[in-house]
Amino acid sequence: MNFLEERIAKDGIVKPGNVLKVDSFLNHQMDILLMEEIGREFKRRFADANITKVMTIEASGICIAAFVAREFGVPMIFAKKSKSVNLDGEMYTAQVESFTHKNVNQVIVSKKFLGAEDRILIIDDFLANGCALQGLIAIANAAGAKIEGLGIVIEKGFQVGGRAIRNMGYRLESLAIVDAMDAQTGAITFRHQEA
Ligand code: 5GP
């Protein structure tokens, strides 16, 4: 098991409805030394990519993406959830259905901060059905930016998002892939990945 799988096995809680709760170190209280390690690990995995910007979606991606951006020495930009329908053309927008909240958000990124010269690393905490990543991909594409890769902390491999994104040809790296989890026993099974 890698450092993250060990932490999930120790502190993750399996909830009914295919939800993995990691709020003691990732989603509510945050273990900052772990965030540093996550930042370093994504830097190691994408060392060959000439990243100019790290992009994520609010709220839970922000802290992780900040640590990743720190390692690359580049800015981090987060897509904002916006209720405003009064868009003035200065924003890239996408619709994102929330897996945890079951609602649809419009997410926006200012055109000022993303352009065709950018080479993007997209970061998020979880990958389930892939709606959040698809929204970020749509925004990067609308900007003409090049998506160098996508980095996920925890992928739920039994949901469709990971396969869909890999089938689109993107380089997707997940630090932990959960292939099965059982809310009754609390058991979590990780997919074997090469170190
Ligand atoms: P997707 O858009 O891929 O369906 O879901 C990804 C988003 O839903 C993530 O940004 C994350 O906030 C949330 N999410 C999905 N599954 C889980 C889960 O099992 N546990 C937690 N804590 N968040 C999740």
Side-chain angles (χ1 to χ4, degrees):
M1 281 204 276
N2 69 25
F3 69 97
L4 185 73
E5 293 163 342
E6 277 174 12
R7 188 60 180 269
I8 296 166
K10 181 164 140 314
D11 292 332
I13 298 166
V14 182
K15 294 281 181 190
N18 284 337
V19 172
L20 177 61
K21 216 161 178 213
V22 287
D23 61 354
S24 66
F25 61 95
L26 189 67
N27 282 147
H28 191 20
Q29 175 172 259
M30 300 194 83
D31 180 334
I32 294 304
L33 296 181
L34 185 76
M35 296 306 114
E36 268 183 3
E37 207 165 350
I38 288 170
R40 281 196 299 268
E41 179 60 17
F42 281 125
K43 177 69 167 60
R44 189 181 73 79
R45 292 188 185 211
F46 290 100
D48 58 323
N50 187 15
I51 307 293
T52 64
K53 209 160 276 185
V54 173
M55 183 160 81
T56 190
I57 182 167
E58 70 176 356
S60 47
I62 294 176
C63 179
I64 302 159
F67 276 87
V68 177
R70 174 72 188 87
E71 290 297 322
F72 283 94
V74 299
M76 184 276 282
I77 183 166
F78 61 93
K80 293 183 171 216
K81 293 173 182 160
S82 161
K83 292 196 172 39
S84 166
V85 287
N86 181 20
L87 294 166
D88 54 9
E90 298 303 311
M91 302 282 177
Y92 301 113
T93 68
Q95 304 291 327
V96 173
E97 188 177 339
S98 165
F99 176 82
T100 34
H101 300 107
K102 309 287 177 215
N103 59 352
V104 177
N105 284 296
Q106 176 171 254
V107 299
I108 60 169
V109 168
S110 170
K111 289 186 176 174
K112 276 188 296 200
F113 303 127
L114 196 60
E117 68 286 0
D118 280 315
R119 302 163 72 96
I120 301 294
L121 176 59
I122 293 175
I123 293 287
D124 205 4
D125 59 341
F126 269 91
L127 172 55
N129 292 327
C131 300
L133 288 190
Q134 298 282 6
L136 292 172
I137 289 170
I139 284 175
N141 285 339
K146 179 160 191 289
I147 298 170
E148 291 286 340
L150 302 98
I152 292 293
V153 180
I154 306 174
E155 175 180 339
K156 291 189 291 182
F158 53 88
Q159 291 183 248
V160 298
R163 187 179 309 147
I165 303 252
R166 290 187 181 95
N167 283 346
M168 290 164 78
Y170 289 112
R171 178 174 172 192
L172 169 64
E173 296 268 352
S174 299
L175 302 190
I177 303 180
V178 174
D179 265 342
M181 54 189 205
D182 187 323
Q184 268 176 350
T185 63
I188 301 171
T189 309
F190 296 103
R191 186 176 305 173
H192 177 73
Q193 301 194 81
E194 296 307 323

